Amino acid sequence: MEKFNLNERRLVTFKRKELGLTVGQVADELHMSKSNLSRIENGKIMVSEDNRELLETRFSINFSLEDKYYYLTLEKLNKVTELLIFYKLFDEYSRNQVDNANQYVLQSVAYPVHILLRLLVYSVKYMEWKFVTKYIAIFNSIIDLLEPSLQKIFYISKISFLYFNKDYNKSLSLCMYVEENYNPEPLLDSYIYHVKSMIYICLGDQDLTVRSINRAIELSTSIGNSPRLVALNILKGNSLRLRGKYKEALVENNKNLEYANTNHIHIYDYTLLKNRGWTYYLLNNYESALKYYQEAEKIGLDDDICFIAGLCSYRLGLRKQCKDYIIKGRKTKNAGIAFPYLIDWLELTLNKRYSIKAENKLLYCLKKMGNKMHIDSRNNICRLLIEHYTFHNDFDKVKEFESKLKYMDTDD
């Protein structure tokens, strides 16, 4: 008779919480005292063979499998983490290999590590949000039962979860907590700084955006992570564009596209083409903007492409093509909360230029979605309203929406 080791304690506590049961509920089921089960989970008392068998039966686990599958699953977690951060996960692992494990893993102390692996993949890839929400809460409640290396993996999952839920300040605070309390690791830290740079862009802080991007680039370069360098340089271009430096952003976009092609990195072709097109649009070069959006359309289609390509077509006097993009935009996948409203606005504008109905559509979208939409979309709506009020010589309204245009803080 002996106490549970850390892995066994973690397994029992994890299974209980996974089922949504309290210590008291399980103790009642197994005819044990609540205090005894609590002390078993906390490694305070010896565990009798009878109690071990009761727990095995209740949770469909097998303590006799010991640590063999734990270390195998830990190796898999480390490999998956590296592939995930290098954007190569599904090149080497199928979705089925990520999701599933053999019965020995599911019954052994390896099980929580297998779930942590899935949590990391889903949270970083923004998948299976119901699963992610559930297991973020469970792992958060057993954080003290995880070794430091597993804690850091969990915190990266939680940082991603908070970021995708637009809880930027909490995500940022957690990034800083991890930096202060865990040993430096270029692989994981490159991802953390990448997320920090995206948060600072959303918060409009130019200086911290640039610092975070540069640190992420430094770390990614040190481990030879070319795909992430392309992603980070996309962010660099975005930050320039959000500061109103469109020509510099275009130079950065072109350099990045050349780097990606030279290094045979094509996972970002769609984004690179759209970013290039959007920058040309902001420079009022609608022919070039349309060209790059149509190139992106060959890779994939969403209502973002349909709106901007339709808007460029409208500005170039291609009314039939504009109408075709409006029709396609209503049928294709959604790329952001503002685009269905913007496509409605484009149709209203195509029917009657600078109409009250078109104005009201933009105002409604801004009022309903303003705090939730991407800064690019919010700024674009403000620009369209400025254009509308300029046409109607309503210069008080022009000043009002000029003041609402948001650019990242700049020292220039």
Side-chain angles (χ1 to χ4, degrees):
M1 196 164 67
E2 57 187 18
K3 297 176 184 177
F4 276 155
N5 62 33
L6 177 64
N7 286 347
E8 291 168 330
R9 289 168 54 207
R10 178 168 60 222
L11 176 62
V12 170
T13 306
F14 185 85
K15 293 293 284 189
R16 174 176 63 75
K17 288 177 177 285
E18 186 178 49
L19 293 170
L21 298 172
T22 65
V23 171
Q25 287 171 322
V26 174
D28 287 344
E29 280 187 45
L30 303 183
H31 304 292
M32 298 167 60
S33 73
K34 180 180 175 181
S35 61
N36 266 8
L37 180 54
S38 178
R39 283 183 286 175
I40 286 172
E41 286 192 6
N42 288 304
K44 302 288 187 183
I45 61 172
M46 302 289 188
V47 188
S48 69
E49 281 302 314
D50 285 346
N51 282 342
R52 288 174 75 92
E53 288 176 11
L54 284 170
L55 290 168
E56 283 182 327
T57 300
R58 178 62 186 86
F59 295 128
S60 301
I61 55 180
N62 185 346
F63 293 118
S64 67
L65 292 169
E66 298 181 335
D67 291 338
K68 174 184 175 183
Y69 295 97
Y70 171 77
Y71 290 112
L72 288 172
T73 307
L74 204 56
E75 285 178 19
K76 182 179 177 182
L77 172 62
N78 292 334
K79 181 64 175 175
V80 163
T81 302
E82 180 180 350
L83 291 171
L84 186 64
I85 290 176
F86 271 77
Y87 295 97
K88 294 179 179 178
L89 177 60
F90 292 124
D91 293 342
E92 297 194 28
Y93 279 83
S94 68
R95 173 70 188 272
N96 187 56
Q97 286 175 298
V98 169
D99 290 350
N100 298 314
N102 67 48
Q103 62 176 331
Y104 302 115
V105 169
L106 300 180
Q107 294 173 1
S108 74
V109 294
Y111 178 68
V113 180
H114 168 67
I115 296 297
L116 181 60
L117 181 157
R118 292 176 64 192
L119 178 63
L120 175 68
V121 172
Y122 297 163
S123 58
V124 170
K125 289 285 190 181
Y126 194 30
M127 301 159 53
E128 305 290 347
W129 222 234
K130 187 176 180 180
F131 176 100
V132 171
T133 302
K134 174 181 177 178
Y135 286 102
I136 286 286
I138 291 173
F139 277 108
N140 208 55
S141 70
I142 64 163
I143 192 69
D144 292 337
L145 293 174
L146 300 177
E147 298 94 330
S149 61
L150 296 181
Q151 288 179 4
K152 193 166 182 179
I153 292 291
F154 165 67
Y155 282 134
I156 283 177
S157 304
K158 189 175 179 182
I159 285 166
S160 302
F161 172 75
L162 292 168
Y163 168 75
F164 283 120
N165 280 342
K166 301 188 187 316
D167 201 339
Y168 299 134
N169 289 322
K170 284 186 181 178
S171 184
L172 197 57
S173 295
L174 193 52
C175 287
M176 293 173 177
Y177 175 83
V178 172
E179 288 173 52
E180 292 169 3
N181 291 279
Y182 293 88
N183 293 330
E185 296 173 77
L187 181 73
L188 300 180
D189 295 345
S190 66
Y191 178 79
I192 290 172
Y193 274 97
H194 192 162
V195 175
K196 281 178 70 175
S197 61
M198 292 189 292
I199 292 170
Y200 285 129
I201 279 183
C202 293
L203 295 176
D205 192 316
Q206 175 211 341
D207 183 52
L208 291 174
T209 296
V210 172
R211 279 198 236 169
S212 298
I213 290 174
N214 288 341
R215 181 58 178 150
I217 287 174
E218 180 185 341
L219 291 166
S220 297
T221 301
S222 75
I223 58 176
N225 192 347
S226 297
R228 190 161 294 277
L229 287 172
V230 174
L232 289 164
N233 283 317
I234 287 173
L235 274 184
K236 187 184 283 189
N238 289 350
S239 71
L240 288 166
R241 189 182 68 242
L242 288 168
R243 283 146 57 196
K245 298 183 176 183
Y246 304 139
K247 290 182 179 178
E248 291 177 45
L250 191 59
V251 170
E252 190 62 45
N253 290 342
N254 292 341
K255 280 167 51 182
N256 202 15
L257 192 59
E258 183 179 347
Y259 176 85
N261 287 333
T262 300
N263 289 276
H264 309 291
I265 299 164
H266 297 295
I267 57 173
Y268 285 111
D269 285 358
Y270 184 67
T271 303
L272 286 165
L273 289 166
K274 283 173 66 174
N275 280 6
R276 212 178 201 187
W278 179 234
T279 308
Y280 273 120
Y281 173 84
L282 293 170
L283 287 166
N284 300 323
N285 186 339
Y286 305 125
E287 293 93 342
S288 295
L290 183 59
K291 170 188 169 185
Y292 285 107
Y293 272 97
Q294 288 178 330
E295 284 295 310
E297 187 182 348
K298 294 174 185 176
I299 299 172
L301 188 66
D302 57 33
D303 52 4
D304 175 4
I305 284 183
C306 291
F307 171 65
I308 300 297
L311 182 56
C312 290
S313 301
Y314 169 75
R315 295 197 186 282
L316 293 168
L318 306 172
R319 294 180 62 84
K320 184 180 182 305
Q321 183 167 285
C322 175
K323 190 172 183 179
D324 289 342
Y325 275 116
I326 290 169
I327 293 168
K328 284 194 283 188
R330 291 207 170 103
K331 294 178 181 177
T332 192
K333 65 182 178 182
N334 177 242
I337 56 175
F339 291 112
Y341 297 93
L342 289 170
I343 286 172
D344 287 346
W345 168 85
L346 184 56
E347 183 175 46
L348 291 167
T349 299
L350 186 64
N351 293 334
K352 185 178 179 182
R353 195 179 182 204
Y354 302 125
S355 69
I356 293 175
K357 285 185 178 180
E359 172 198 3
N360 288 338
K361 180 62 70 172
L362 293 178
L363 291 171
Y364 179 78
C365 180
L366 205 56
K367 181 179 179 181
K368 185 174 182 181
M369 302 293 183
N371 293 329
K372 299 177 183 177
M373 69 178 71
H374 191 277
I375 187 172
D376 260 336
S377 295
R378 191 164 59 244
N379 281 353
N380 194 32
I381 290 172
C382 288
R383 290 188 196 97
L384 294 172
L385 285 165
I386 289 166
E387 181 182 336
H388 175 91
Y389 293 125
T390 300
F391 177 83
H392 290 288
N393 297 318
D394 189 343
F395 297 112
D396 288 339
K397 286 288 188 182
V398 169
K399 287 181 181 178
E400 177 187 339
F401 284 95
E402 282 178 342
S403 71
K404 290 182 179 180
L405 273 173
K406 291 189 177 180
Y407 293 98
M408 294 180 71
D409 297 332
T410 177
D411 299 326
D412 296 345

